[in-house]
Amino acid sequence: MAYDENNIFAKILRGDAPSIKLYEDDKTFAFMDVMPQAPGHSLVIPKFPAENLFDLDEDYAAAMARTVKKLAPAVKKAMEAPGIMIAQLNGAEAGQTVYHIHTHIIPRWDGIDLKLHAREMANMDELKAQAEKIMAALG
Ligand code: 5GP
């Protein structure tokens, strides 16, 4: 499949669609997932037109990993989450639904199951409040 310049994350990167931003640098962008599987569910995307890991430039793969390494501790601290799950899905069979590569940062708590993937829209005010806490923890 060829990369679709009109996928929702490409639009977010261009500023053509809204997002609740957490972090940005020259090679990556991070924002809140609008259909979170757990409170604090965040996404990191490279500023590179790749559907998945197989198409991604190595420098941008490294940059995405660096941003995950920076953001995950802030999500953990802000959400007071004992565990953090990092996930990156490649291909529909793996569960990928948006075809601009991204890494999920998902807080986990004992006894709290993950919500279904990409199903239920969150309350935007709650997401914004979580984002404020995460950005404060980022420093
Ligand atoms: P995937 O299934 O491709 O690994 O994950 C796509 C993720 O993007 C899902 O967790 C889904 O909730 C999230 N998502 C889908 N559409 C939007 C959107 O318009 N904005 C944001 N912030 N997240 C989205």
Side-chain angles (χ1 to χ4, degrees):
M1 218 192 324
Y3 179 81
D4 175 7
E5 294 286 348
N6 284 319
N7 76 73
I8 184 64
F9 292 174
K11 288 183 180 170
I12 286 173
L13 271 181
R14 287 197 299 269
D16 292 344
S19 68
I20 301 173
K21 176 176 158 178
L22 295 170
Y23 173 81
E24 181 171 16
D25 60 26
D26 60 330
K27 288 195 172 67
T28 66
F29 187 83
F31 54 107
M32 300 301 292
D33 192 307
V34 289
M35 291 173 275
Q37 290 186 261
H41 185 164
S42 311
L43 300 167
V44 178
I45 60 179
K47 295 178 177 177
F48 185 92
E51 283 190 10
N52 53 43
L53 192 64
F54 312 113
D55 310 331
L56 184 61
D57 173 273
E58 249 183 59
D59 285 347
Y60 283 84
M64 182 166 68
R66 272 195 300 274
T67 298
V68 170
K69 171 79 175 146
K70 198 184 291 258
L71 187 58
V75 172
K76 185 176 192 307
K77 183 176 173 198
M79 302 309 300
E80 298 179 27
I84 293 285
M85 183 171 109
I86 306 291
Q88 196 274 302
L89 314 180
N90 298 281
E93 296 78 4
Q96 186 175 8
T97 57
V98 176
Y99 291 93
H100 180 111
I101 184 168
H102 49 277
T103 302
H104 297 261
I105 298 174
I106 308 178
R108 299 300 312 269
W109 291 266
D110 196 22
I112 300 184
D113 290 337
L114 284 183
K115 287 194 181 180
L116 288 176
H117 185 61
R119 277 306 160 80
E120 198 187 326
M121 282 299 271
N123 175 296
M124 290 303 133
D125 291 337
E126 279 177 23
L127 285 193
K128 283 179 190 157
Q130 290 164 7
E132 292 295 325
K133 284 191 196 168
I134 293 168
M135 286 187 289
L138 256 180

